[in-house]
Amino acid sequence: MERIEGVAVGRCASSPYLRPLTLHYRQNGTQKSWDFMKTHDSVTILLFNSSQRSLVLVKQFRPAVYANEVERHFPGSLAAMDQNRPQVLPGALPGSVGVTYELCAGLVDQPGLSLEEVACREAWEECGYRLAPSDLRRVATYKSGVGVTGSSQTMFYAEVTDAQRDGPGGGLAEEGELIEVTHLPLDGAQAFADNPDIPKTLGVIFGVSWFLSCMAPGLGLP
């Protein structure tokens, strides 16, 4: 996962996942404009494995995180990459700087599927757990990337056991996914969420806090 080589950055001419646009509008009589990205909404699933008394997370390399770390260490690296052909990034950083801990998640990009059905599909593809929509509890729906995308994400919760894991997980290789399933023991969950040196998404922090305050007491967990 962390063996990253031949890194180059180029202009994004087209993408099935995002589209850069500019919104022109008048606010209180003042003409304004704002650049944004049109993206898909998404779902995320907080999984509690009662067999192992742990929260199920995924770990994967995120190119955007890696590129921003390169820019952080070598300021101006991305600003110079305004070319039609990919340009090699200056400096070399280990692939580990682009690896993050996340909740199982996926895009809502298939017409006809409910949010619950998308969540169940992602739980199977990424983590190997078979779930039915009725197994899910909706936790919250919120806006993500409000300054850039404004897309919506819905978080679900589900309790699973080892017996429900009958697949390898790891994501879909044909979609370029390479995902590692990890287990976060409950006794170290809050410290994990609070540690700024562990790269993680806001969903992990919120999910840990929500589980410990809303679910753990009812499950008889400390």
Side-chain angles (χ1 to χ4, degrees), residues 82-149:
D82 190 20
Q83 307 291 330
N84 290 325
R85 293 194 306 173
Q87 302 291 309
V88 175
L89 278 179
L93 294 177
S96 58
V97 304
V99 175
T100 61
Y101 289 90
E102 310 168 17
L103 298 183
C104 172
L107 298 176
V108 181
D109 58 357
Q110 292 192 15
L113 292 183
S114 68
L115 295 179
E116 288 80 3
E117 289 171 327
V118 175
C120 290
R121 182 193 64 190
E122 294 299 333
W124 165 250
E125 291 178 357
E126 293 192 359
C127 300
Y129 292 100
R130 287 203 181 278
L131 296 173
S134 58
D135 296 326
L136 302 176
R137 168 177 172 174
R138 187 178 296 216
V139 176
T141 298
Y142 42 84
K143 296 297 181 183
S144 60
V146 293
V148 180
T149 68

Side-chain angles (χ1 to χ4, degrees), residues 8 10 35 42 58 63 87 100 123 126 130 134 151 156 177 194 197 208 212 216:
D35 300 333
S42 61
V58 296
Q87 302 291 309
T100 61
E126 293 192 359
R130 287 203 181 278
S134 58
S151 58
F156 293 97
E177 294 180 324
D194 292 341
D197 295 324
V208 167
L212 294 178

